[in-house]
Amino acid sequence: FDREIVDRGETRSSGARAFSTLCRWQVNQAICRVLSSSSPESVVRYAKDLFERERRDYDAVYCVFDRDQHTTFQHALALVRAYNRDIPSRSKDVDGTTRPRFNAIASEPCFEYWLLLHFKYTDRPYAPAGTNSSCGTVIADLKVFFADYDKSCRDTFARTFDHLDRAMENATRRHARALADGVMNPSTEVYLLM
């Protein structure tokens, strides 16, 4: 299965390293790219440019980004839908349904919500509080379980891997509820990469 995963984040971010590790363990011939720009739209546009420039016949392209405070979040989702209308799918799921070529893997408010789900289930909406952004409030909750967490942690994946089954269960449960309620804060689609 040949995939391109484009992640929004700094080259030293725990999210980027986690995806790189995941790719080496779970995905054959994956190419993980990390962008320094934090705009969801820039991630999606870069993925499309890379897809066209490299002319590799990827089965799927995954664009990983956060809602956080980005003004281009909804536009990035619309671009993914538009690209799927323009670029035919070439693979099917086990149930025979066509799998889209371009995929948005969004977290709301941020990737750290996925990490928090390794330790506990929560459906409490996250909003800015005091000097913290909405992501900062997620990180504050995460630090109850992962006291020294910061975006530059080098061992985030190793320290959460043993709780992956719980994260998968929690993320699947929360995402289904978010879709049913139409309230995506909080939710994550990172589990779809596993």
Side-chain angles (χ1 to χ4, degrees):
F1 194 55
D2 199 11
R3 300 179 186 192
E4 172 79 21
I5 299 175
V6 180
D7 179 25
R8 182 268 337 132
E10 301 298 322
T11 54
R12 294 181 175 263
S13 79
S14 60
R17 273 194 306 287
F19 284 120
S20 294
T21 303
L22 174 67
C23 291
R24 284 195 298 273
W25 287 11
Q26 300 287 330
V27 180
N28 294 328
Q29 299 179 14
I31 300 170
C32 296
R33 311 280 172 129
V34 180
L35 303 178
S36 59
S37 171
S38 61
S39 160
E41 180 181 352
S42 67
V43 170
V44 174
R45 287 189 186 282
Y46 176 79
K48 176 121 186 298
D49 291 346
L50 191 65
F51 177 83
E52 291 172 343
R53 187 174 58 243
E54 291 192 358
R55 299 197 183 277
R56 291 192 53 187
D57 202 13
Y58 295 111
D59 292 312
V61 176
Y62 294 90
C63 301
V64 180
F65 51 85
D66 299 344
R67 170 72 173 117
D68 209 9
Q69 299 175 26
H70 298 294
T71 58
T72 67
F73 182 78
Q74 292 300 328
H75 190 245
L77 296 175
L79 283 174
V80 167
R81 288 189 298 274
Y83 293 163
N84 281 323
R85 284 191 299 271
D86 296 340
I87 301 169
S89 178
R90 56 179 296 263
S91 57
K92 295 192 180 275
D93 283 330
V94 290
D95 66 0
T97 58
T98 301
R99 181 181 313 138
R101 184 74 68 100
F102 272 79
N103 300 271
I105 301 296
S107 294
E108 192 165 332
C110 58
F111 177 80
E112 283 78 7
Y113 178 67
W114 162 249
L115 297 177
L116 178 61
L117 292 175
H118 285 71
F119 302 102
K120 78 171 201 170
Y121 177 85
T122 182
D123 59 4
R124 178 176 71 88
Y126 286 92
T131 60
N132 280 337
S133 67
S134 54
C135 186
T137 61
V138 174
I139 292 172
D141 283 358
L142 177 60
K143 285 187 171 194
V144 169
F145 305 97
F146 193 155
D148 58 341
Y149 174 79
D150 69 38
K151 289 182 180 280
S152 64
C153 284
R154 295 186 174 266
D155 62 348
T156 299
F157 188 75
R159 291 173 64 181
T160 58
F161 184 75
D162 287 343
H163 307 285
L164 183 60
D165 289 340
R166 179 183 303 141
M168 293 286 296
E169 180 181 316
N170 288 340
T172 302
R173 175 180 162 203
R174 177 60 201 141
H175 192 239
R177 187 86 222 137
L179 290 172
D181 293 344
V183 178
M184 300 309 290
N185 180 0
S187 65
T188 183
E189 296 173 316
V190 173
Y191 74 96
L192 297 172
L193 291 172
M194 306 296 153

